[in-house]
Amino acid sequence: MKKMAAGSSSNVNENIPVFEYKDINTKPFHVGSFRTAWLEKLKPIDYSYEDKYEETEDADFAKEMGIAPETLDELKAICSVDNLRCQAEDEPLDTNVVPPDPTLQTLIQRKKKQDYKGTLRIDKISRVDHYQDELESLAVGKRPEDPVDLVPEGEIILSINVLYPAIFERFKYVRPHMTLQMLGSHSLVDLRDAICCISDLQVFGEFSNTPDMAPDFISKDHFKSAFFYFEGVFYNDMRHPECQDMSETTIDWAKTRDFPTFHKAKMEDTRFYDLKVKVGYPYLFCHQGDCEHVVIITDIRLAHKDDCLDRKLYPLLTHKHRVMTRKCAVCHVYIGRWLTTNDPFAPNDPCLFCERCFRMLHYDKKGNKLGQFLAYPYVDPGAFN
Amino acid sequence: MPNGKAKDRFLKPLVADYEELLGRFQQTESVRFEEFTAIWRNMGFSSVFYFQIRVGGLYLLYGLYHTQLASPKEKIRIALKDWEQIQKFYQDSVNSQHYDAVYIIRKLITENAVLYTAMPQMLTFRVKKKPQHHKVCEEFRDRPERVKDLISTDMLQEVANIQGHHERLKASVLERSSIAVTQQDLPARLHSCVLEFLHWQDRHENHGDADHLVYAEEKAQQVESSNRAQLLASIKTKSYGCLAEASKSRRHRQVEMDTSISGTGYINEAPKYHKSRAPSLKARTNKNLCGEGDEQKIQYWLLSAAEEDKTALKRQKRKHSFRW
């Protein structure tokens, strides 16, 4: 362990993240400098992926403390994990059985919960929910085949929550979001590309007269502008010539009011290392002109041996809330693809149809439109499940 | 020989700490190990604790890390801001020749049990969650003011008075006042000793002040939050105080008023399931100003369900939910 060099970091070193509001978010700090601060304090072997040889470690220890090998052996025996075992050596521990007469409170509580579960009658187990929690562990410990793709030691991993735009009434107590893990050397455009929002797939336009032409226009291809807002700076996506600077309106408006001046930067030129952010604080991602997502950086840390170490797999999705898919109002079997309004054939306004029911009801065998109605292609919100 | 020392310190505070911890763990209402390690970290390495308790905390972390059955193992998070304290603790252990503590710290690091992070916990901006006030066990706290408490100015005054009294009595009783049982200038010497110690402490305790400030700040925040908590509690009792009376046929399901929400300043944030609750402000405004808009939300996706089949719409209600 390295001894702290005197005066190398004072208490007011601003690269050390501290709480702005306790347990809620930190003060802003520069990500790259945070990484340097950690790397200064540690020896490379502390954060390397390699397994350390026990003999060298023991030898170092004995030398530093000046103790004899016999003492070392005795010490190792005392501090061994085997001393912590509560049951006999050859009995495997059964996690489902609570030992009788527990005095520990967690065990008492566990028994209560187990008994309670026994009284429940579970109607149906959704298979998707069953595997929902496993998403996190899919990529753990993965190494790439090509060593060039290995995440270098001492790299920063950020965990970012991107919340869905809050248009669902039901989600009052839950915050539906997706969690992405990114590397410090990624740029903001990598994050932008990894965010899946259904508004990107929306097709605009009324297609009752030309139902076969619908898939040609996707919003993602038309409206490519987007920006991130972190700590008073707007990062615009300027990769394509069609992209406009969406933040200009806001910046101009802010100048007329009593706001501190905002700055602009390019999304593709900014890496996470260059950012100055607060951990745990909500920021903004805006695309399609008005589709806004709240972005929170939940965690920043050094890479670890057990993380996914394949660069190609990043940005890594570790959590995603599932959205219910809306089905056809008629057959209730297929996913809804068309939304109709002012439709005399439909039981309510607006009404959702799948492709087959839509065609059967609104068009005759030759494909002529029957009656007067308006039809819009519908993108199911659960498209990314 | 570390033999006796290690075993003693391994078992005794282990049991005591574990019991103490579990109460707090219950309050988090979660079985996430991350919460567990967070509490442990807090308890084990905060600067105000006795050295022994910190060592106990270290041992507990070590034990928990190794006995966990999950794979990959849940790591111990160390934030950058706490690294200095950990280094200091390590140095103290080395200087005092506590081989077992040193060995265990080194082992945890070489086994990659540590995650080097920005903050001790992942932060998701849950502002509404009640802030975790860890009730620090008083016995575990270190007392840097021990000396000051013992030798206060009052006490010195007393000692001086007694000294004076003793001298006078001695003078009046004995002819030879050359025999001195007590030191003549005891109060003065006590005072100078204490001052010297305090100066030494100040020089070595470079963040004593910061801790006091933080503690004062926390106190202020606590007072603020408890005021707010009381205000919220009073609003809640008012709104939950009036309940709609169920019709005769549903009288057996009449909801009883929960009188447990009152005034101790502690608020149960989890929303209770009331079958008929008092209309919210939004609902009342809507009713008064906008009149009856959409009477009923048509559930488009269940048009094919038979009208008589009301059970298709309702989720099966649990008789009682699990009380943690």
Side-chain angles (χ1 to χ4, degrees):
Chain A
M1 275 218 186
K2 206 153 95 167
K3 286 207 183 122
M4 284 277 299
S8 67
S9 67
S10 58
N11 281 342
V12 290
N13 186 353
E14 56 184 27
N15 292 326
I16 298 184
V18 287
F19 280 119
E20 185 179 24
Y21 297 104
K22 187 130 201 304
D23 290 334
I24 296 182
N25 65 280
T26 65
K27 295 201 174 126
F29 62 95
H30 188 253
V31 178
S33 311
F34 159 75
R35 172 175 178 258
T36 326
W38 256 131
L39 296 183
E40 274 174 3
K41 296 189 186 345
L42 300 173
K43 294 202 302 267
I45 201 164
D46 292 335
Y47 53 85
S48 95
Y49 303 145
E50 305 300 324
D51 283 323
K52 287 108 193 162
Y53 288 117
E54 209 179 312
E55 296 85 24
T56 27
E57 171 55 29
D58 289 342
D60 286 341
F61 171 64
K63 205 166 70 170
E64 181 175 340
M65 299 297 289
I67 58 179
E70 303 85 36
T71 331
L72 180 62
D73 287 334
E74 198 179 335
L75 186 63
K76 279 171 71 168
I78 292 175
C79 296
S80 149
V81 181
D82 295 330
N83 289 340
L84 295 170
R85 216 188 295 269
C86 294
Q87 71 282 7
E89 179 123 359
D90 45 3
E91 264 177 40
L93 186 61
D94 187 357
T95 48
N96 285 331
V97 175
V98 178
D101 297 329
T103 48
L104 290 176
Q105 295 191 21
T106 22
L107 291 179
I108 294 175
Q109 200 177 72
R110 191 116 164 269
K111 189 90 179 52
K112 255 175 47 181
K113 178 100 194 193
Q114 269 186 341
D115 293 339
Y116 169 71
K117 264 192 172 165
T119 63
L120 287 184
R121 184 176 56 95
I122 302 182
D123 293 332
K124 56 183 179 213
I125 304 172
S126 162
R127 201 172 48 174
V128 182
D129 287 336
H130 200 59
Y131 294 117
Q132 180 87 341
D133 295 327
E134 294 201 4
L135 193 55
E136 278 185 37
S137 39
L138 272 181
V140 162
K142 277 218 161 102
R143 301 285 169 120
E145 287 171 11
D146 186 355
V148 168
D149 292 328
L150 185 72
V151 171
E153 293 171 1
E155 177 87 4
I156 290 272
I157 292 187
L158 300 101
S159 297
I160 304 181
N161 278 9
V162 179
L163 277 63
Y164 295 166
I167 51 177
F168 301 115
E169 276 180 23
R170 287 198 207 173
F171 294 128
K172 283 187 205 156
Y173 301 113
V174 185
R175 286 193 196 157
H177 62 272
M178 48 189 287
T179 307
L180 292 165
Q181 280 194 345
M182 320 262 332
L183 299 175
S185 46
H186 279 317
S187 70
L188 288 177
V189 289
D190 296 318
L191 176 61
R192 191 238 159 134
D193 293 336
I195 295 178
C196 7
C197 176
I198 44 142
S199 62
D200 280 336
L201 303 176
Q202 295 283 5
V203 179
F204 65 98
E206 203 275 307
F207 285 99
S208 54
N209 300 315
T210 52
D212 301 315
M213 269 183 60
D216 286 354
F217 307 86
I218 295 192
S219 299
K220 192 171 188 177
D221 301 326
H222 274 263
F223 306 121
K224 297 203 180 114
S225 321
F227 70 81
F228 279 101
Y229 171 79
F230 289 114
E231 285 299 303
V233 185
F234 287 92
Y235 299 92
N236 294 295
D237 188 354
M238 302 300 254
R239 286 175 291 176
H240 308 282
E242 304 94 55
C243 299
Q244 297 165 13
D245 185 359
M246 289 203 297
S247 55
E248 243 181 74
T249 347
T250 322
I251 296 182
D252 292 337
W253 174 86
K255 281 193 193 141
T256 63
R257 311 284 167 120
D258 187 21
F259 277 101
T261 34
F262 295 126
H263 300 281
K264 283 197 272 199
K266 286 203 185 160
M267 208 194 271
E268 56 270 24
D269 294 337
T270 318
R271 300 173 313 154
F272 281 105
Y273 281 137
D274 307 323
L275 280 182
K276 196 166 189 218
V277 284
K278 299 185 196 176
V279 170
Y281 195 74
Y283 292 112
L284 190 68
F285 169 63
C286 182
H287 66 137
Q288 301 287 328
D290 63 351
C291 184
E292 294 174 344
H293 299 255
V294 171
V295 171
I296 302 180
I297 301 182
T298 52
D299 183 31
I300 301 183
R301 59 177 174 80
L302 289 181
H304 188 274
K305 190 172 77 141
D306 287 343
D307 289 326
C308 171
L309 294 176
D310 188 352
R311 278 191 79 100
K312 290 215 286 271
L313 292 177
Y314 281 92
L316 187 67
L317 185 67
T318 42
H319 173 89
K320 192 172 190 318
H321 262 93
R322 214 168 52 92
V323 184
M324 272 254 291
T325 56
R326 300 282 299 272
K327 302 236 180 71
C328 171
V330 176
C331 60
H332 204 54
V333 175
Y334 294 107
I335 298 179
R337 293 266 182 251
W338 289 94
L339 193 76
T340 56
T341 48
N342 288 341
D343 191 359
F345 296 116
N348 46 57
D349 196 325
C351 190
L352 201 59
F353 293 98
C354 66
E355 188 73 40
R356 289 174 67 178
C357 299
F358 177 67
R359 302 280 180 165
M360 271 202 288
L361 190 59
H362 297 94
Y363 299 90
D364 64 14
K365 285 216 181 73
K366 296 206 189 74
N368 298 323
K369 181 173 165 183
L370 305 168
Q372 285 304 310
F373 59 91
L374 298 170
Y376 305 93
Y378 179 77
V379 176
D380 173 51
F384 290 111
N385 285 351
Chain B
M1 282 294 280
N3 205 339
K5 263 199 288 192
K7 283 243 180 64
D8 279 346
R9 286 200 273 134
F10 209 102
L11 290 173
K12 214 164 49 161
L14 188 74
V15 173
D17 289 354
Y18 207 21
E19 298 278 64
E20 161 65 49
L21 166 75
L22 286 174
R24 255 179 264 164
F25 188 48
Q26 256 184 331
Q27 284 175 22
T28 67
E29 294 186 9
S30 92
V31 281
R32 297 304 310 161
F33 197 75
E34 298 143 28
E35 303 249 12
F36 207 65
T37 50
I39 298 178
W40 265 115
R41 264 216 59 263
N42 267 331
M43 225 181 116
F45 292 100
S46 171
S47 66
V48 293
F49 290 108
Y50 277 128
F51 184 76
Q52 187 200 17
I53 299 302
R54 294 163 85 167
V55 174
L58 167 70
Y59 291 158
L60 204 48
L61 265 179
Y62 174 72
L64 286 170
Y65 178 77
H66 278 283
T67 52
Q68 58 178 310
L69 303 165
S71 167
K73 290 196 186 297
E74 197 72 37
K75 311 282 182 294
I76 302 171
R77 297 174 66 100
I78 297 189
L80 187 57
K81 60 185 173 76
D82 300 323
W83 184 247
E84 249 189 71
Q85 295 185 18
I86 294 184
Q87 285 291 79
K88 218 166 67 130
F89 172 70
Y90 180 75
Q91 271 311 111
D92 287 345
S93 308
V94 169
N95 295 340
S96 332
Q97 304 254 304
H98 290 153
Y99 303 137
D100 37 12
V102 174
Y103 179 73
I104 285 185
I105 297 185
R106 290 178 76 109
K107 191 150 186 261
L108 279 177
I109 294 199
T110 54
E111 284 171 339
N112 284 322
V114 172
L115 268 183
Y116 302 103
T117 70
M119 296 315 269
Q121 258 307 82
M122 294 185 71
L123 303 167
T124 51
F125 206 67
R126 293 229 87 117
V127 185
K128 283 204 192 131
K129 206 172 175 185
K130 188 164 98 74
Q132 305 275 349
H133 289 300
H134 300 296
K135 291 193 293 294
V136 174
C137 191
E138 275 311 310
E139 294 156 1
F140 294 168
R141 269 185 181 272
D142 201 359
R143 301 294 178 98
E145 285 98 22
R146 266 257 161 89
V147 177
K148 261 195 279 180
D149 285 341
L150 187 59
I151 316 278
S152 62
T153 39
D154 292 339
M155 203 230 139
L156 275 178
Q157 194 73 17
E158 286 275 337
V159 171
N161 286 339
I162 294 175
Q163 176 88 355
H165 204 60
H166 169 86
E167 291 296 317
R168 284 194 294 277
L169 278 179
K170 201 168 69 164
S172 63
V173 168
L174 298 171
E175 298 87 31
R176 298 161 295 164
S177 51
S178 56
I179 306 177
V181 182
T182 61
Q183 288 168 358
Q184 299 288 22
D185 51 355
L186 178 63
R189 286 180 64 172
L190 269 178
H191 190 68
S192 66
C193 262
V194 172
L195 278 180
E196 204 183 298
F197 175 73
L198 285 178
H199 282 142
W200 173 87
Q201 214 183 27
D202 277 339
R203 258 183 285 129
H204 285 253
E205 188 81 28
N206 46 13
H207 30 256
D209 276 342
D211 270 356
H212 287 310
L213 277 178
V214 165
Y215 190 68
E217 221 181 280
E218 276 185 26
K219 273 277 179 205
Q221 275 182 12
Q222 277 181 26
V223 169
E224 222 180 275
S225 60
S226 67
N227 281 342
R228 192 171 158 273
Q230 280 176 2
L231 185 61
L232 276 176
S234 64
I235 294 177
K236 280 197 174 175
T237 44
K238 265 190 264 172
S239 62
Y240 289 149
C242 46
L243 281 179
E245 201 187 71
S247 64
K248 283 217 180 86
S249 60
R250 303 296 288 171
R251 204 53 74 80
H252 61 284
R253 308 281 326 235
Q254 168 75 39
V255 185
E256 270 118 42
M257 186 149 73
D258 191 346
T259 50
S260 68
I261 313 173
S262 52
T264 53
Y266 172 79
I267 297 197
N268 192 352
E269 287 282 339
K272 294 211 163 35
Y273 183 82
H274 290 283
K275 198 157 184 255
S276 55
R277 55 166 91 187
S280 67
L281 179 60
K282 182 176 176 200
R284 282 181 276 137
T285 322
N286 210 9
K287 195 165 130 197
N288 291 332
L289 299 178
C290 309
E292 292 297 314
D294 274 347
E295 293 85 11
Q296 228 184 11
K297 281 207 148 63
I298 306 177
Q299 276 115 346
Y300 303 132
W301 56 91
L302 277 173
L303 288 172
S304 50
E307 284 214 4
E308 302 82 31
D309 186 16
K310 290 289 178 217
T311 56
L313 296 172
K314 295 195 174 31
R315 213 191 324 181
Q316 304 295 332
K317 192 164 84 88
R318 291 226 181 112
K319 295 254 163 58
H320 54 92
S321 58
F322 185 66
R323 299 245 180 278
W324 281 100

